[in-house]
Amino acid sequence: VAIPKRATCSVCSSVCSGILQSVQAKLPEAANASIEIDATEAAEVMERGDALWIDVREQEEWDVGHIPGAYHFALSRLYAGEFPKELVREYLGERSNPIMTILYCRSGVRSITAMQIFRQAGVGNARSLRGGITQWQRQYSKRFEHDQKDNNK
């Protein structure tokens, strides 16, 4: 499948803005304001320990490196009808106040799709990391694991 690149964007394709618009159209207006979280705010949330981090990239991408403390659950598994119920219940169910679920991929497109699936499954505080792990690495390269830590769920 060939996806044409936008002339003004070195990372994103012209399809990306359409995906985001499609997701936003399907979500309630109040939720649209909080679809994404930027790397700076996400780092603050990480410092407080107030988020469940889920990497939705494929296994090969995860193996190259990932955000410390993140769990791996590929978007392809969500598409196949799987959902990390136990992880969500275990991690979010123990909290008295709502905790954020931060989903990320390489550039932030797949994680928007995953965020929509999570919200439809009742995880209302799911957010997509704007710019994905690429942006995270630019800002916080020391918070990037290049090991094979087993947080695959």
Side-chain angles (χ1 to χ4, degrees):
V1 174
I3 300 175
K5 292 281 198 178
R6 283 194 330 223
T8 59
C9 183
S10 63
V11 176
C12 193
S13 71
S14 61
V15 175
C16 295
S17 61
I19 291 171
L20 180 57
Q21 289 171 355
S22 172
V23 169
Q24 288 173 329
K26 293 176 184 176
L27 295 172
E29 190 173 318
N32 286 343
S34 61
I35 287 175
E36 295 181 302
I37 184 170
D38 66 37
T40 302
E41 184 182 354
E44 292 169 6
V45 170
M46 177 182 269
E47 292 296 323
R48 293 191 310 264
D50 287 345
L52 166 62
W53 290 73
I54 300 178
D55 185 327
V56 299
R57 299 174 300 155
E58 294 303 317
Q59 185 66 51
E60 302 78 30
E61 296 171 287
W62 165 268
D63 290 344
V64 171
H66 51 273
I67 295 172
Y71 291 88
H72 180 241
F73 201 91
L75 179 61
S76 59
R77 292 177 66 190
L78 292 170
Y79 278 145
E82 296 179 50
F83 190 80
K85 289 180 236 172
E86 293 79 24
L87 173 64
V88 169
R89 188 176 314 122
E90 173 187 322
Y91 199 89
L92 303 181
E94 298 174 1
R95 313 288 176 155
S96 58
N97 42 336
I99 192 163
M100 190 178 298
T101 300
I102 299 176
L103 302 145
Y104 71 91
C105 61
R106 183 185 60 81
S107 65
V109 176
R110 288 176 284 175
S111 56
I112 287 176
T113 302
M115 180 272 312
Q116 180 182 18
I117 293 168
F118 270 70
R119 286 190 177 184
Q120 288 173 347
V123 182
N125 207 6
R127 308 267 294 272
S128 171
L129 180 61
R130 184 179 303 124
I133 199 166
T134 302
Q135 182 61 37
W136 181 266
Q137 283 180 280
R138 283 186 196 125
Q139 289 183 239
Y140 304 104
S141 60
K142 292 180 182 176
R143 294 184 184 181
F144 184 74
E145 289 187 4
H146 291 281
D147 66 19
Q148 306 290 325
K149 185 176 178 184
D150 187 20
N151 270 347
N152 286 298
K153 292 291 176 177

